Amino acid sequence: MAEAGAHLTSTAANEQPSIFEVLAQESLMEAVRPALRHAVKVLAESNPPRFGFLWQRFDELYLLLDLLLQNHFLSHCSASFSENFYGLKRVSVGQGLPVRLGLHRKSHWRSLLLLCLVPYLRAKLEATLARQRDEEDFSIRLAQTRSQRLYRAAVAAYPYVSSAWQAWIFSQQLLFVFGVARTHNPLLWLARVRLARLNAQDIRDMELKISKTGSPAEGSLLQRAWWLMSQAARGVAVSLSTSLSMGVFFLQFLEWWYSSDNQSTVKSLTSLPAPPPPLHLHLQQEQS
């Protein structure tokens, strides 16, 4: 009995990720959106007739791609893209040990909505807040109807709500570090899930799930159409994940290259003396 309890305790300790792992996966997705936004802005400025709509509808297009990407990873890996990138998975609250790969249906949809809709709504609110500040700076005053007063009051209250939200996140992270809480982020608590490390059995389960995906040859026309749509969405998600994985490594290299701690190394590499000319050119210069 004591040996079984010790085994469960050690298993839970090994599956619990560290605060550095969970913060690293969060910073990954926070860096992807600004990078894509900057790339779309460059394309729109270089060719407005062709790529201008990408910049105008960037938030909505990013939301659509994010829904496809996160739904694919939640369905096949029980994790978001960034969580899977760092070898983590989502586990439904109340699931016993050892935890197996796979989310409950409600946990899946709660995770998908919170992963995609919260950043989208936050970006929209921040854009609205910035626009209102510009209007106040240039003294643009519109007619103060009741709906407009409520709108301005909601926008004015957003910084305080955002500060309270950040304080909640910080408190949750402190509780996670000291082992009091099992989640480091309120969004995970709202989704009724927690993070755990992937193990060898999880990787085998993912490979088995991919190998079992086949065409419903004897299904109805509606089932075949749904299968084709799911396969197309899966292809888009796989392409996005592959390109994002390569882009993440590139972003990490740029972050390392331009970091303040690395400037001395960069200067030493870029300030090397020029090599001497080849021997035959040196002889030609002497003869002339």
Side-chain angles (χ1 to χ4, degrees), residues 92-104:
S92 299
V93 172
Q95 187 173 347
L97 293 173
V99 293
R100 299 298 299 272
L101 195 70
L103 286 173
H104 298 156

Side-chain angles (χ1 to χ4, degrees), residues 63-208:
L63 175 63
L64 177 61
L65 295 178
D66 197 24
L67 283 170
L68 290 174
L69 181 69
Q70 304 296 2
N71 184 61
H72 168 74
F73 275 91
L74 286 172
S75 300
H76 293 81
C77 308
S78 299
S80 66
F81 166 75
S82 59
E83 292 162 358
N84 180 258
F85 187 83
Y86 281 93
L88 303 176
K89 63 181 176 182
R90 292 191 171 210
V91 180
S92 299
V93 172
Q95 187 173 347
L97 293 173
V99 293
R100 299 298 299 272
L101 195 70
L103 286 173
H104 298 156
R105 187 175 184 86
K106 291 183 178 179
S107 299
H108 173 93
W109 290 112
R110 279 196 296 258
S111 297
L112 182 63
L113 292 177
L114 291 173
L115 277 170
C116 301
L117 285 183
V118 170
Y120 171 76
L121 294 176
R122 182 178 179 180
K124 286 295 186 182
L125 283 174
E126 290 178 351
T128 303
L129 181 62
R131 185 168 58 250
Q132 192 213 10
R133 288 176 178 173
D134 292 339
E135 291 177 357
E136 290 180 353
D137 291 340
F138 289 99
S139 300
I140 301 177
R141 300 293 180 180
L142 302 177
Q144 293 293 317
T145 62
R146 182 178 180 182
S147 60
Q148 289 173 345
R149 287 196 298 269
L150 291 175
Y151 167 78
R152 294 176 66 88
V155 173
Y158 173 74
Y160 303 99
V161 176
S162 179
S163 299
W165 176 257
Q166 294 299 326
W168 187 8
I169 293 177
F170 181 72
S171 302
Q172 194 82 5
Q173 290 173 355
L174 283 180
L175 295 175
F176 180 80
V177 169
F178 291 108
V180 179
R182 307 191 71 180
T183 58
H184 73 286
N185 194 301
L187 293 180
L188 293 175
W189 178 76
L190 292 173
R192 299 294 189 268
V193 295
R194 61 181 180 87
L195 295 181
R197 290 193 180 99
L198 286 173
N199 52 42
Q201 183 61 40
D202 296 329
I203 297 175
R204 288 192 291 268
D205 292 343
M206 284 190 287
E207 293 176 351
L208 184 63

